[in-house]
Amino acid sequence: ERRVVIVGAGMAGVQTAVALREQGFTGTVTVIGAEPHPPYDRPPLSKAVLLGTADGSAFDIDFEALGIALRLGVYVTGVRPADHELDTAAGPVAYDSLVLATGAEPILLPGSEGVPGVHVLRTLDDAERLRPVLAERHDVVVVGAGWIGAEFATAAREAGCAVTVVEAADRPLAGALPAEVAAPMTAWYADAGVALRTRARVRRVEPGAVFLDDGTRLPAGAVVVGIGARPATAWLAGSGIALGIHHEVLADDHLRTSAPDVYAVGDCASFPSGRYGERLLVHHWDNAVQGPRTVASTVIGETPAVYDPVPYFWSEQFGRFVQYAGHHAPGDELIWRGDPTTPAWTVCWLRDGALSALLAVGRPRDLAQARKLIESSTPLDPTLAADPSIPLKKA
Ligand code: FAD
């Protein structure tokens, strides 16, 4: 009987196991995950789970009925592709096909490791440690005005904490969006009563305080570091599996790695996008849901599919629903569709006359239409697209 072993019991790993069964795979399927908890969904961790309005976010999947063996609380320490074997604390595990789905890990703030009161937000355990911080309404300093920082700041304000966000760049989301698009988001922080300090760097963190480069001392009952995440691939050192510049597993367009019978999916892997002509490393939920269908069909091997998604993600911050589809590059033409000082607006990016990406704030219909327009590379009239009263699909 053929044995598929999946490392990582997050969305990508679990969905790969489910997709294998859906596509008729009859061999054994084993999912090995380091975390002890039943597999769960991460987006609620910075939203309902953090605020205590949801208890947890465990996946509603009957693993036993699907014939999926879960081995939880087991950390995989290495892989020897030539032997088709994994190493774990509980001993070696043999595989015929191996899927790497180890996700990503938060980047830590140098010098803050081990300081009491310093948190990251990636796992259920992290969220559970942060719940009392919110309930006790501590003064909170958030380091990083990215997606996680904004969502945590939103929840902390909702809970009644005093919140300061420290950001090294001159604006929020500097890594994700061009200056003119991110600029209006600065006002969201002020409107929510969050003190946003841009062009500010943390020099030192002590229990109870954060010190900035300019000497400012910020009182901090808790510090939440949200400065990005890095693929969790350190355990692959010495395996010979090729990694990229962001430490990610380099997958091909069928999600195969450089080692025979080893595949990779989700936050831990990048793939070459035919649609965008560059390699993409996507750290968003939809990629961990879509990728598994492709990787499962590649593993089964009968109808290997090409993975070339239109990336999609959303964020809920400061009372706004932010959605993004596609992938923009520096040369793309930027078109405003609506006024960014109002509650609902959209930005379109065009390349060669067609939509390459779209950001929608409170305009889910634009987003839904954009996904289809990008998928089909339909030419778009920039003048019509700029008019928010005309449906995008008619532009
Ligand atoms: P992960 O979910 O990271 O799962 C990987 C698993 O592998 C982990 O459980 C890890 O413990 C395990 N593992 C790692 N190394 C080993 C090892 N050596 N041995 C065994 N197990 C190992 N995306 C959106 O699009 N919208 C959102 O609103 C959104 N909100 C988010 C909020 C938070 C707080 C976080 C953290 C993420 C959010 N995301 C959001 C991103 C989304 O959750 C991720 O893209 C998704 O979880 C990736 O799934 P994955 O399975 O690839 O990785």
Side-chain angles (χ1 to χ4, degrees):
E1 218 176 16
R2 203 168 138 206
R3 298 156 300 178
V4 177
V5 176
I6 299 163
V7 185
M11 180 58 97
V14 162
Q15 286 302 324
T16 299
V18 171
L20 282 165
R21 291 300 183 221
E22 279 173 0
Q23 294 176 27
F25 180 72
T26 55
T28 65
V29 177
T30 305
V31 183
I32 307 178
E35 293 184 69
H37 308 289
Y40 61 88
D41 203 15
R42 281 182 212 285
L45 298 183
S46 52
K47 308 169 184 88
V49 172
L50 194 57
L51 285 165
T53 53
D55 257 344
S57 54
F59 296 129
D60 184 15
I61 295 171
D62 189 341
F63 293 101
E64 216 180 290
L66 289 168
I68 296 166
L70 288 182
R71 294 189 58 190
L72 302 175
V74 177
Y75 187 80
V76 179
T77 53
V79 52
R80 288 170 281 112
D83 303 333
H84 280 62
E85 229 170 39
L86 291 172
D87 292 308
T88 78
V93 176
Y95 66 82
D96 298 305
S97 303
L98 174 66
V99 180
L100 310 175
T102 50
E105 293 163 337
I107 296 172
L108 304 175
L109 187 66
S112 76
E113 297 100 324
V115 177
V118 178
H119 300 260
V120 292
L121 179 50
R122 179 79 195 178
T123 65
L124 182 57
D125 290 341
D126 295 333
E128 276 171 1
R129 277 189 286 267
L130 280 164
R131 265 196 204 180
V133 167
L134 265 58
E136 290 158 25
R137 298 194 193 172
H138 285 291
D139 290 345
V140 183
V141 173
V142 179
V143 184
W147 303 110
I148 296 284
E151 292 203 358
F152 179 80
T154 300
R157 281 302 294 150
E158 225 166 294
C161 300
V163 181
T164 304
V165 177
V166 178
E167 168 58 51
D170 60 352
R171 59 182 191 276
L173 292 167
L177 297 172
E180 61 178 305
V181 178
M185 297 177 175
T186 304
W188 301 358
Y189 287 72
D191 292 347
V194 173
L196 173 64
R197 287 173 168 268
T198 54
R199 300 181 205 271
R201 282 183 178 276
V202 174
R203 172 178 297 166
R204 192 159 52 88
V205 181
E206 276 181 7
V210 170
F211 294 87
L212 303 183
D213 258 0
D214 67 1
T216 308
R217 177 187 184 278
L218 301 170
V223 180
V224 176
V225 178
I227 55 174
R230 183 179 288 145
T233 55
W235 67 283
L236 293 172
S239 69
I241 295 171
L243 303 183
I245 48 167
H246 303 287
H247 307 272
E248 85 283 15
V249 179
L250 291 174
D252 71 5
D253 58 355
H254 297 291
L255 300 180
R256 294 177 297 215
T257 73
S258 64
D261 304 315
V262 183
Y263 310 81
V265 66
D267 278 13
C268 72
S270 67
F271 55 89
S273 165
R275 187 185 304 281
Y276 291 106
E278 61 182 288
R279 185 165 275 279
L280 299 183
L281 173 58
V282 178
H283 276 184
H284 299 296
W285 186 90
D286 190 63
N287 178 57
V289 175
Q290 307 290 341
R293 285 199 277 273
T294 302
V295 91
S297 71
T298 307
V299 168
I300 293 170
E302 279 157 17
T303 50
V306 167
Y307 192 54
D308 198 5
V310 173
Y312 165 70
F313 69 88
W314 79 96
S315 171
E316 291 155 57
Q317 45 179 285
F318 309 117
R320 286 156 178 97
F321 188 42
V322 182
Q323 295 168 287
Y324 180 97
H327 175 73
H328 68 269
D332 297 356
E333 182 189 357
L334 192 150
I335 295 165
W336 287 96
R337 181 173 161 79
D339 174 357
T341 62
T342 62
W345 48 275
T346 292
V347 168
C348 303
W349 283 268
L350 291 183
R351 192 184 306 175
D352 302 329
L355 204 56
S356 55
L358 177 140
L359 176 84
V361 178
R363 290 181 61 97
R365 194 162 299 152
D366 278 356
L367 194 285
Q369 294 182 5
R371 280 177 96 166
K372 294 188 189 125
L373 291 168
I374 298 171
E375 188 77 54
S376 57
S377 311
T378 311
L380 206 65
D381 180 327
T383 319
L384 296 179
D387 182 345
S389 68
I390 298 172
L392 209 52
K393 64 178 177 198
K394 300 214 169 114

